[in-house]
Amino acid sequence: MDDLSPETLRALRRMTVEADKLIEGCVRDRLSLATLMARFLPALERWIGVKGAVVTTRNEHLVEQTFTYGEWTLLGGADLHAEEEGRAVVVGSGTSMWMKLSVAGSEVGRLMVLLPGDRRADEGELRLLLAALCDALDVVLATVHTAAAKQRL
């Protein structure tokens, strides 16, 4: 995917601005990670058309927690490690893809989405959009994990 269409660039810009505003509001209001995810994951449907999504990461107590949205149960608890990162894989009547969440170069979780239909032809564009969403989540997770680590001291 060497050349991005103007439509893709506009969608990427709109999505990242909206994601940043959503996250900024949650951080400003000191909302829990669960509340942030309850707002962020449904927005994925509007931004990239997901039918379902799951995020697994450490929460404010540095305990692994899973946050889900939508038709995630259709995947039957799919293994987030089964496929190569950023690869579009057909699952039933949809397509799944996952990406790492990282803080300071260390993996702190994963985001996996379920999209309607066979989207393998859109793999490069989907990877770009998911990477931008993961970057937005990485920023908030860095804050949450740093604060939790300080509380433990």
Side-chain angles (χ1 to χ4, degrees), residues 18-44 47 55 57 60 65 67-69 101 133-134 136-144:
E18 287 182 28
D20 287 345
K21 284 182 181 178
L22 187 150
I23 291 170
E24 180 182 306
C26 291
V27 170
R28 181 193 61 236
D29 296 341
R30 299 177 188 240
L31 301 178
S32 68
L33 186 59
T35 301
L36 183 146
M37 290 299 178
R39 294 178 183 185
F40 187 86
L41 294 178
L44 295 176
W47 296 332
V55 169
T57 189
E60 295 92 340
Q65 187 171 356
F67 306 93
T68 62
Y69 166 74
L101 297 168
L133 291 167
C134 286
L137 284 176
D138 291 346
V139 172
V140 76
L141 291 175
T143 303
V144 168

Side-chain angles (χ1 to χ4, degrees), residues 8-127:
T8 299
L9 292 172
R10 277 192 290 275
L12 179 62
R13 169 107 172 103
R14 183 177 56 251
M15 181 192 73
T16 55
V17 167
E18 287 182 28
D20 287 345
K21 284 182 181 178
L22 187 150
I23 291 170
E24 180 182 306
C26 291
V27 170
R28 181 193 61 236
D29 296 341
R30 299 177 188 240
L31 301 178
S32 68
L33 186 59
T35 301
L36 183 146
M37 290 299 178
R39 294 178 183 185
F40 187 86
L41 294 178
L44 295 176
E45 184 173 6
R46 182 174 71 253
W47 296 332
I48 61 174
V50 304
K51 295 192 308 185
V54 64
V55 169
T56 300
T57 189
R58 293 189 310 266
N59 62 20
E60 295 92 340
H61 306 289
L62 298 179
V63 175
E64 187 169 291
Q65 187 171 356
T66 300
F67 306 93
T68 62
Y69 166 74
E71 298 179 21
W72 181 250
T73 56
L74 293 180
L75 292 177
D79 183 0
L80 294 181
H81 302 275
E83 298 296 336
E84 180 182 333
E85 179 182 19
R87 182 167 177 225
V89 178
V90 172
V91 178
S93 63
T95 302
S96 70
M97 179 182 278
W98 71 268
M99 296 198 85
K100 294 177 191 173
L101 297 168
S102 60
V103 171
S106 297
E107 184 177 339
V108 295
R110 293 176 180 222
L111 165 66
M112 187 173 201
V113 296
L114 177 63
L115 299 139
D118 183 349
R119 301 285 300 274
R120 290 177 291 183
D122 303 327
E123 185 175 272
E125 181 178 337
L126 290 171
R127 191 175 327 136

